[in-house]
Amino acid sequence: MAKHFHLNTPLLESASMSKRVGTPVYLKMENAQPSGSFKIRGIGLLCQQVGLTSQSKGVVCSSGGNAGMAAAYVARKMGVPATIVVPSSSSQLVVQRLQDQGATVKIAGKVWDDANAEALRLQETEGLTYVPPFDHPLLWQGHASMIAEVAASLGPGAKPGAVLVSVGGGGLLCGVAQGLKDAGWTDVPIVAMETAGADSFNAAVKAGSLVTLDDITSEAKCLGAKTVCRRAFEYGQCGELTVISELVTDQQALSAVETFLDEERVLVEMACGAALAAVYSGLIRRLQDEGRLPALLGPLLVIVCGGSCIDMEQLTHLKHKLQA
């Protein structure tokens, strides 16, 4: 068995983004993972740790796309069956890509929370191993490896001025936070980005307690958990790290996806566009003007979390939908 399923992804400097913010911008290219996103780090580790064998009845994962892709990929490599439960909001593209990985796809409910309830039911009734998409310490431990790679790439004595991440269920945020702690970079602020309408973390930060959204109204479906995981919320509250929660509109996230495609020649989904939009929409400059980020900012690290839920047809569809 492979030592791990994820790749050590490239850390690229973006000249155009650096020019926009007036400090070097480094892109951690998690879109280059075999499953299309960072999720494979944590899910790969978790599947190895739970001791899956060829005798296993298989894994079940609830996912709007990327966690499911990672679980399906890892299960295929380990020779066990995978059942991925997706909400009806998932595109045909996602369903097809999951099936191409050899997974059985079940559609349940309207949003991720509904699909997750079905996955938990299948765990009970079918004896499948449940793979959580974002809320598990092994996932965060796996995701933390990307910060260790960044530290190795930057070399001794160098560190980011801030890290930009998208937040859905909060697994990436927890992994980055753990990675920063492991690297001794607890003074590096995290800018946690969501789209309005998929903003369960921002709502929780404002309320001072976990909030369950009534619905996911954003087109960034992969950010669509109605409640962020408790550990992510705790990072936003506890003060051991600085976490700045910010929102962009769907239009800003989509515009960021298009600009990134033009300038960096890489297509990512809107969930990832939320983090990119912090640079493209001028939000980083505003945080500097407000004194929430230093005026003299060290290199900006952007986690390009990736995404398997997009192609040119989907991009065109989103443009028309959001212009309407």
Side-chain angles (χ1 to χ4, degrees):
M1 188 168 71
K3 186 161 165 284
H4 40 62
F5 295 101
H6 66 265
L7 306 176
N8 184 333
T9 52
L11 186 69
L12 306 178
E13 189 174 351
S14 167
S16 57
M17 289 175 109
S18 301
K19 194 168 133 188
R20 275 189 166 88
V21 289
T23 191
V25 175
Y26 290 104
L27 305 171
K28 185 60 171 157
M29 301 298 282
E30 289 298 295
N31 59 296
Q33 292 292 0
S35 67
S37 84
F38 75 95
K39 294 273 190 184
I40 193 168
R41 291 180 183 270
I43 284 175
L45 180 68
L46 182 127
C47 287
Q48 285 175 317
Q49 297 284 336
V50 296
L52 282 177
T53 65
S54 53
Q55 275 71 56
S56 162
K57 288 185 176 174
V59 298
V60 61
C61 180
S62 54
S63 164
N66 293 310
M69 282 298 293
Y73 175 87
V74 170
R76 181 167 67 79
K77 289 290 181 189
M78 294 180 85
V80 298
T83 301
I84 312 300
V85 189
V86 301
S88 61
S89 57
S90 306
S91 68
Q92 189 50 46
L93 170 74
V94 171
V95 172
Q96 186 59 54
R97 286 186 175 170
L98 287 166
Q99 288 169 338
D100 289 347
Q101 287 288 354
T104 301
V105 180
K106 294 201 166 182
I107 296 170
K110 183 167 169 264
V111 293
W112 171 79
D113 305 72
D114 305 331
N116 192 49
E118 174 63 11
L120 290 169
R121 191 188 70 78
L122 289 170
Q123 176 192 20
E124 290 297 315
T125 57
E126 308 288 319
L128 301 175
T129 303
Y130 174 70
V131 177
F134 54 80
D135 195 358
H136 196 286
L138 283 172
L139 297 179
W140 313 329
Q141 185 187 328
H143 300 336
S145 62
M146 74 181 75
I147 299 298
E149 288 171 19
V150 170
S153 293
L154 292 179
K159 67 178 175 185
V163 186
L164 271 174
V165 299
S166 294
V167 180
L172 178 58
L173 174 60
C174 292
V176 166
Q178 186 171 328
L180 291 176
K181 289 200 298 186
D182 294 346
W185 290 350
T186 51
D187 56 338
V188 175
I190 300 172
V191 182
M193 299 297 302
E194 293 170 290
T195 50
D199 49 352
S200 58
F201 178 66
N202 186 264
V205 168
K206 282 180 178 158
S209 61
L210 285 174
V211 170
T212 299
L213 303 177
D214 292 333
D215 195 12
I216 301 298
T217 54
S218 167
E219 289 300 322
K221 298 300 179 199
C222 293
L223 295 182
K226 289 200 285 189
T227 318
V228 78
C229 71
R230 180 169 293 280
R231 187 71 186 105
F233 167 70
E234 287 167 358
Y235 277 124
Q237 297 288 308
C238 67
E240 61 178 321
L241 294 154
T242 301
V243 182
I244 301 167
S245 170
E246 288 288 333
L247 300 182
V248 287
T249 63
D250 273 2
Q251 282 81 1
Q252 285 172 315
L254 183 63
S255 169
V257 167
E258 293 187 275
T259 308
F260 196 69
L261 178 59
D262 282 343
E263 295 187 352
E264 310 297 335
R265 304 168 309 285
V266 173
L267 179 60
V268 293
E269 67 189 36
M270 270 180 64
C272 182
L276 303 174
V279 171
Y280 292 135
S281 72
L283 186 128
I284 295 296
R285 288 286 176 129
R286 172 167 70 74
L287 291 175
Q288 289 176 291
D289 293 343
E290 291 171 1
R292 294 166 72 198
L293 284 176
L296 282 170
L297 189 60
L300 200 57
L301 172 63
V302 183
I303 307 296
V304 183
C305 51
S308 37
C309 309
I310 188 107
D311 59 8
M312 288 307 291
E313 190 183 340
Q314 185 71 8
L315 183 63
T316 308
H317 168 72
L318 287 166
K319 277 174 71 167
H320 288 150
K321 195 164 180 181
L322 291 175
Q323 277 161 359

